Amino acid sequence: MGTSASATSQAAPFAPTHQADHQGNGMAEHRRSLQSVNIHNSKTKSIITNKVAPVVITNNCREEFQIHDKIQSSNYSMGRISDLLPEHYLVLGEFFMVQDIYNRADVLNTTKSHGAPNFRKVKGNYPLFGMGQPSLNGFKQVLQRLQIDGCEEVVFICVREEPVVFFRSDGDFIPYTPRGRENLHENLHDLDRELSAEQIELSIRKELCDFAKLSENMFYVYNDIEHFKDDPQQVQILSEEDIHVTEEVYKRPLFSQPLHRYYRLPLPMEGAPLEKTFDAFVNILRVTPNLSLMRDSSRPLPALLFSCQVGVGRTNLGLILGAIVFHHLQGASESPRQEIQKSEHKLDFQVIELLISHLPKGQQVLDEVDDAIAMCSEMHNIKDAVFENKLKLEGIGEDYQIQGKSTKAYFLQRTLQSLERYVYLLVFNAYLHDQYPQAFPQSFSQWLCMNAWIYRLLACMDSSELSAPASLITDGIRVLVSSKFLATDLLSTAKEMKVANFRRVSKMALYGMAQPNSEALAVVMSYLTDQRRGHSTILWLNLQEELVLEANGQMFTPREPGSLEQPIPVCVQHPQKLQEMELTLKHDILRCEKWLGVITEQDKQMRMFKTCHTIEELFVHQKSVHPGLSYQRIPLSDCCAPKEEVFDQLLEAMKSSLAEDPNCAFIFNCHDGKDRTTAAMVIATLTLWHINGFPECEEDEFVSVPNAKYTKGEFEVVMQVVRVLPEGHRVKREVDIALDVVSETMTPMHYHLREIIISTYRQIKMAKSEADAQWLRLRSLQYLERYIYLILFNCYLHLEKKDSWRRSFSQWMSQVAARAGVYAILNHLGFSEFENPDDSLMARLRFRWLPHSAQFIPMF
């Protein structure tokens, strides 16, 4: 007969971390429910209480409904900041509500005059404004001020990623944010990737209303986290109308000003925004007619207003984006180059030089971004931040801890983050040059996938330019690690060949091994040129991207003391640079004339080196003995898919050698003769098959083991690529045969480039820590990507064979494969059979292609 209704919304989607022990009287709960519902007395005829919930009958007896408003206090957590302060309920299970803005944050002293802290207009003529977080009345004051200044249309963009709620106070609504007890000065970030800030704010408001009902309509907040004077303070909450979320504060005033728009564009506190954030910004440009290049030029530009908490870092980034957009709308004539003072600091980084040299209109792109930064530099300058962080990094003497990290690690990360922010502004401006005139047919994410070479360049933006140079072995910053420690001789070849893991591909002049010293090099060359083998022409390809030296007859490589098994990649554009760095390291070691700590196969020892040689010097000597020997260094990253240019270099090296001698032998080595060597041997096998003819391929054998398709590499993402490629199934099958042939040479290693994909992924469940699990996930994705690249390379060899592969693999990938959507697939790489790939940052090219160590992987 009646209608059963709930007086509250659904429970918050956050699970509390602690449980509070509260038990309440049932009738008291009902009375509180009635108070919270605030049913108007004139409509209420009678209230009938019972064991379930109160029943309300209205005066006209036409409505009867039951109030289910029992709040389970045991579902919520309680805590206190200190023993001297009262205990109360915690938001989202663990956080305290702290007033958002402190007085000293308003450096420009504009809260009273303009309504918001640090309110300002950028230099020049652009209607571009920034500010910190205002209250509700403060925001209304800001809009009035803009209207007085003649701004007819305002696009307001809140760039905060943390949740903010507003409590009613003295006729206004004041902003508060949830913060942890460990750091009450820091806002929360990355709370929940699946929920937006708006959704989290609604959950917080629901909790706050529940807390008030459990605490006589009161809740505790903090206004003075320095001294806790008069804190915590109680705020009264009678209904949801006593609490506003950000959307309500910013959208409601816009109803009286129809030309105004509001958007939330969460920007990160540090580093560059994600591609999807740039996409969201581009969508704002798309849906705002007055920000189109086809706009009515007789109308004034809309005012762009950006706001974060204090109005400095993220607001500054938003202002720069706005200034770049206005430059494209009005051109260089409106850019106030004569009125602004640019940063005196030149950012001398390899990644910037390479990017500008490769981008169309590269220097113009750079100049425009520098102009925009200078225009918006009243409170913060991005270029200066890069320079200052690098200066601090270089000036560190004694190392100590900052926020749980060593000083060097802390400032290295800060430098890389500020550099990344600057570089992505350059990339985004290049995107605008290409896409703005076309009204953005491609999003920023799509455009980057079509220009994936940019991700390759950005991968050079690593610690190799900033961290201690490898030559600082003599100062004890890094240690020399013996190749015998790194290269376990699983194939038991060291006794006969003097080098670990020596092997040959059956019926082919292809060899692989670990890094040999001078003695092993002589033995291997004698073996290859004896009467039985009789190789008169030999191409030796060294695949190591890390520095390597022979000292006192042993091979050594510099490593970080905390991660001896992780190579230290050197990001160089030409292998000759590696040779120069190895020469520097050699001279440093010989000049120091002191005992140095080294790691051997037994333990750590102290050694003084009398002799030292670079790898190239070893091969120069062997070439004098064996004139048919040629040596090349093609750096390849361990456990990863080779870069496109690595495929080019390997193919070109083999083509040139075979043109001189069709019977040329090829030898590959890395530090242990395992991962990189095997990948290069598979590439060489496929190349030789295309030149000399494929062996007879047997039908696929039936494999009767659980999940055999994964052992055979039939992952969903692999098959997605296979379906795109011409004769994709045959192309994949040929790669599988090549993998099997090469793997037969190393059976005792139990190592197969395809089978290792699923075996590594399955180890994730057995990981001892979350860090280990993330490391295994990254490795499994890298192995998966490498397998896909081998399939793509084989397809390239088929399609471009008719032209003798005049078009390089790099060109084919950018001109053909990219347009077929290959990079878009690789940008969502993962094991979709078992999980959502987008749950991991490593599914993205941007993060997966960066150099990684087991100690540092970006948050997932």
Side-chain angles (χ1 to χ4, degrees):
M1 165 177 135
T3 302
S4 178
S6 173
T8 59
S9 57
Q10 294 296 315
F14 289 88
T17 56
H18 307 286
Q19 302 298 324
D21 186 18
H22 277 266
Q23 299 295 331
N25 177 274
M27 288 301 175
E29 293 282 357
H30 292 333
R31 284 193 293 271
R32 278 195 292 268
S33 297
L34 293 174
Q35 292 171 1
S36 66
V37 176
N38 290 327
I39 302 170
H40 201 282
N41 288 335
S42 63
K43 292 185 177 182
T44 305
K45 177 179 178 65
S46 62
I47 300 173
I48 306 171
T49 60
N50 56 44
K51 293 182 179 180
V52 179
V55 176
V56 177
I57 302 175
T58 60
N59 273 328
N60 55 17
C61 296
R62 291 184 179 179
E63 293 181 84
E64 173 185 330
F65 55 90
Q66 195 170 31
I67 302 172
H68 295 281
D69 193 37
K70 184 173 182 180
I71 301 170
Q72 297 294 332
S73 60
S74 59
N75 290 336
Y76 294 119
S77 306
M78 298 192 73
R80 52 165 59 97
I81 289 180
S82 72
D83 293 338
L84 300 177
L85 296 176
E87 185 181 52
H88 55 82
Y89 289 104
L90 303 180
V91 169
L92 305 181
E94 55 183 315
F95 303 117
F96 302 85
M97 295 305 298
V98 178
Q99 187 167 313
D100 192 38
I101 296 292
Y102 54 96
N103 293 332
R104 288 176 295 171
D106 187 11
V107 177
L108 301 183
N109 196 26
T110 59
T111 301
K112 290 183 178 180
S113 59
H114 292 75
N118 299 318
F119 181 90
R120 63 198 182 277
K121 181 180 181 295
V122 302
K123 303 169 187 175
N125 299 322
Y126 294 154
L128 195 52
F129 304 87
M131 66 179 183
Q133 177 66 62
S135 65
L136 173 60
N137 290 345
F139 181 58
K140 293 177 181 178
Q141 185 179 347
V142 168
L143 294 180
Q144 291 171 358
R145 183 70 186 229
L146 292 175
Q147 191 173 18
I148 292 172
D149 290 344
C151 298
E152 299 177 1
E153 181 180 1
V154 176
V155 178
F156 172 54
I157 302 176
C158 172
V159 296
R160 303 190 69 169
E161 61 177 340
E162 65 273 20
V164 185
V165 296
F166 299 73
F167 289 105
R168 188 189 298 275
S169 176
D170 297 329
D172 197 358
F173 280 83
I174 308 300
Y176 285 76
T177 54
R179 300 182 189 175
R181 178 167 53 187
E182 294 75 15
N183 196 341
L184 292 169
H185 294 274
E186 291 290 331
N187 287 317
L188 306 179
H189 305 284
D190 298 320
L191 264 178
D192 193 314
R193 293 187 181 276
E194 295 182 0
L195 296 175
S196 66
E198 288 87 350
Q199 290 173 309
I200 297 174
E201 288 173 1
L202 291 172
S203 297
I204 291 174
R205 178 162 69 180
K206 166 62 174 63
E207 285 193 351
L208 291 171
C209 289
D210 287 352
F211 297 159
K213 294 170 188 175
L214 293 168
S215 306
E216 298 180 352
N217 297 325
M218 304 300 291
F219 182 73
Y220 286 110
V221 298
Y222 294 82
N223 294 344
D224 180 12
I225 54 176
E226 294 288 343
H227 309 289
F228 296 99
K229 183 180 180 181
D230 301 325
D231 273 354
Q233 298 186 15
Q234 288 187 326
V235 294
Q236 187 178 47
I237 303 174
L238 297 176
S239 69
E240 287 192 352
E241 280 300 308
D242 291 321
I243 307 169
H244 282 0
V245 294
T246 302
E247 189 174 35
E248 293 169 334
V249 169
Y250 291 144
K251 276 193 173 180
R252 287 179 176 177
L254 302 183
F255 275 87
S256 59
Q257 297 164 314
L259 288 180
H260 292 2
R261 298 288 182 271
Y262 162 72
Y263 301 95
R264 190 154 188 175
L265 184 75
L267 295 181
M269 294 287 291
E270 306 291 344
L274 296 176
E275 285 80 351
K276 66 178 182 181
T277 305
F278 283 107
D279 291 343
F281 182 64
V282 170
N283 283 333
I284 296 174
L285 304 181
R286 278 175 170 158
V287 301
T288 308
N290 210 11
L291 290 176
S292 165
L293 290 183
M294 305 299 293
R295 60 183 291 272
D296 182 357
S297 59
S298 64
R299 291 182 57 192
L301 285 169
L304 292 184
L305 172 61
F306 294 88
S307 172
C308 64
Q309 181 192 8
V310 181
V312 182
R314 291 172 289 180
T315 293
N316 179 256
L317 177 57
L319 290 172
I320 295 170
L321 291 172
I324 295 173
V325 167
F326 280 149
H327 178 88
H328 282 270
L329 287 172
Q330 293 202 330
S333 61
E334 296 291 330
S335 182
R337 290 193 175 187
Q338 305 302 319
E339 304 175 25
I340 58 178
Q341 182 177 359
K342 291 188 179 181
S343 171
E344 299 177 355
H345 302 133
K346 184 179 184 298
L347 299 183
D348 187 19
F349 289 93
Q350 182 185 50
V351 64
I352 297 176
E353 295 174 2
L354 290 171
L355 188 61
I356 296 309
S357 64
H358 284 75
L359 284 173
K361 305 179 182 178
Q363 189 59 48
Q364 180 182 347
V365 166
L366 177 71
D367 290 340
E368 289 167 357
V369 170
D370 286 350
D371 284 346
I373 291 173
M375 289 173 60
C376 309
S377 61
E378 181 177 358
M379 297 197 70
H380 182 70
N381 189 297
I382 288 179
K383 290 184 69 175
D384 289 349
V386 180
F387 183 82
E388 290 164 6
N389 282 319
K390 184 182 179 185
L391 205 61
K392 291 176 182 176
L393 177 65
E394 294 171 345
I396 293 173
E398 184 178 353
D399 212 1
Y400 55 92
Q401 294 287 309
I402 297 181
Q403 296 182 4
K405 298 179 181 179
S406 72
T407 320
K408 292 176 182 176
Y410 174 80
F411 282 109
L412 172 61
Q413 184 178 9
R414 292 294 299 270
T415 306
L416 288 172
Q417 287 173 332
S418 51
L419 175 61
E420 180 191 48
R421 180 168 287 195
Y422 177 74
V423 168
Y424 262 84
L425 286 171
L426 298 175
V427 174
F428 184 68
N429 191 29
Y431 162 78
L432 291 180
H433 271 281
D434 184 52
Q435 294 289 303
Y436 217 156
Q438 306 176 60
F440 304 110
Q442 292 178 334
S443 68
F444 184 64
S445 299
Q446 293 169 334
W447 183 82
L448 272 176
C449 283
M450 293 296 294
N451 295 273
W453 61 269
I454 294 177
Y455 282 126
R456 290 294 187 194
L457 281 185
L458 296 181
C460 292
M461 188 172 55
D462 68 353
S463 58
S464 64
E465 280 193 276
L466 299 169
S467 57
S471 59
L472 293 185
I473 295 293
T474 54
D475 292 337
I477 293 175
R478 287 174 175 164
V479 296
L480 289 173
V481 180
S482 165
S483 60
K484 291 186 177 180
F485 174 85
L486 298 171
T488 304
D489 186 22
L490 297 172
L491 300 185
S492 302
T493 62
K495 184 176 181 180
E496 179 183 357
M497 302 301 297
K498 305 303 179 183
V499 65
N501 302 321
F502 180 86
R503 63 194 190 278
R504 176 192 178 189
V505 177
S506 177
K507 302 178 183 180
M508 301 180 76
L510 291 179
Y511 301 84
M513 68 189 78
Q515 175 62 57
N517 60 8
S518 54
E519 180 189 8
L521 183 55
V523 171
V524 170
M525 288 304 301
S526 297
Y527 174 85
L528 295 175
T529 56
D530 65 11
Q531 287 187 344
R532 182 177 177 183
R533 260 72 49 179
H535 295 301
S536 58
T537 305
I538 298 169
L539 174 61
W540 195 302
L541 295 162
N542 185 339
L543 307 169
Q544 295 190 87
E545 64 173 352
E546 61 270 29
L547 304 185
V548 186
L549 289 177
E550 183 189 66
N552 287 4
Q554 274 190 285
M555 303 306 298
F556 290 94
T557 183
R559 296 287 168 97
E560 299 288 355
S563 53
L564 297 178
E565 296 184 0
Q566 294 298 320
I568 302 174
V570 181
C571 187
V572 296
Q573 291 301 300
H574 198 280
Q576 186 61 33
K577 181 67 174 177
L578 281 173
Q579 167 67 5
E580 295 172 3
M581 296 175 73
E582 286 172 345
L583 278 171
T584 301
L585 176 58
K586 166 190 169 179
H587 294 320
D588 284 353
I589 290 175
L590 292 177
R591 275 199 301 261
C592 77
E593 296 184 346
K594 66 180 182 180
W595 294 89
L596 300 175
V598 300
I599 306 294
T600 66
E601 62 271 31
Q602 288 89 22
D603 52 15
K604 184 173 182 178
Q605 301 177 358
M606 300 301 293
R607 299 264 184 98
M608 180 178 288
F609 295 114
K610 300 293 185 181
T611 63
C612 197
H613 303 283
T614 66
I615 298 178
E616 190 159 318
E617 288 171 344
L618 300 183
F619 279 92
V620 168
H621 173 71
Q622 279 300 315
K623 189 173 177 59
S624 66
V625 180
H626 302 281
L629 173 66
S630 298
Y631 170 78
Q632 286 190 38
R633 190 159 185 175
I634 302 179
L636 198 161
S637 297
D638 200 27
C639 300
C640 301
K643 300 173 183 177
E644 290 81 353
E645 60 264 26
V646 170
F647 285 97
D648 295 338
Q649 293 164 8
L650 289 171
L651 178 59
E652 187 58 36
M654 293 187 67
K655 283 170 56 182
S656 300
S657 297
L658 291 170
E660 294 182 9
D661 182 1
N663 297 314
C664 177
F666 299 94
I667 307 176
F668 302 91
N669 83 270
C670 59
H671 72 286
D672 63 355
K674 188 177 177 181
D675 188 89
R676 291 174 281 185
T677 295
T678 304
M681 291 174 76
V682 173
I683 293 171
T685 298
L686 290 169
T687 301
L688 288 176
W689 283 352
H690 277 274
I691 293 174
N692 300 327
F694 278 79
E696 292 186 7
C697 299
E698 300 179 1
E699 293 294 324
D700 286 351
E701 58 178 323
F702 179 75
V703 182
S704 58
V705 296
N707 296 320
K709 67 176 185 177
Y710 302 130
T711 303
K712 294 164 64 177
E714 295 175 359
F715 299 95
E716 288 182 6
V717 67
V718 173
M719 302 315 294
Q720 187 179 359
V721 173
V722 167
R723 288 192 294 271
V724 171
L725 301 178
E727 298 191 67
H729 290 278
R730 187 187 78 168
V731 169
K732 176 184 180 298
R733 185 165 62 252
E734 290 169 353
V735 170
D736 289 336
I737 295 171
L739 290 170
D740 294 340
V741 167
V742 173
S743 122
E744 288 174 0
T745 69
M746 48 197 297
T747 302
M749 285 188 180
H750 302 289
Y751 188 79
H752 193 293
L753 287 188
R754 184 186 64 243
E755 295 173 2
I756 196 174
I757 300 170
I758 189 62
S759 65
T760 303
Y761 181 81
R762 285 171 175 161
Q763 293 176 43
I764 295 174
K765 292 183 179 179
M766 299 177 287
K768 296 179 180 178
S769 66
E770 181 62 21
D772 290 344
Q774 301 295 13
W775 180 247
L776 289 167
R777 177 169 280 104
L778 169 62
R779 277 287 180 249
S780 61
L781 288 171
Q782 290 173 326
Y783 294 146
L784 179 63
E785 183 175 41
R786 179 171 59 188
Y787 180 52
I788 292 173
Y789 260 83
L790 291 173
I791 295 172
L792 290 167
F793 180 66
N794 191 34
C795 181
Y796 157 79
L797 291 176
H798 274 289
L799 298 178
E800 298 294 316
K801 184 176 181 178
K802 61 183 182 297
D803 295 324
S804 301
W805 303 295
R806 281 198 294 268
R807 176 161 55 181
S808 68
F809 180 65
S810 299
Q811 293 171 330
W812 182 83
M813 285 291 288
S814 63
Q815 296 170 8
V816 180
R819 299 186 186 280
V822 167
Y823 283 117
I825 295 173
L826 293 174
N827 202 35
H828 294 274
L829 187 69
F831 300 90
S832 55
E833 302 90 341
F834 314 117
E835 61 186 18
N836 182 3
D838 291 336
D839 288 344
S840 169
L841 288 178
M842 292 300 120
R844 304 290 184 179
L845 296 173
R846 169 177 174 176
F847 298 98
R848 195 172 62 252
W849 284 1
L850 290 174
H852 297 286
S853 70
Q855 284 70 40
F856 177 72
I857 302 178
M859 291 294 294
F860 285 71

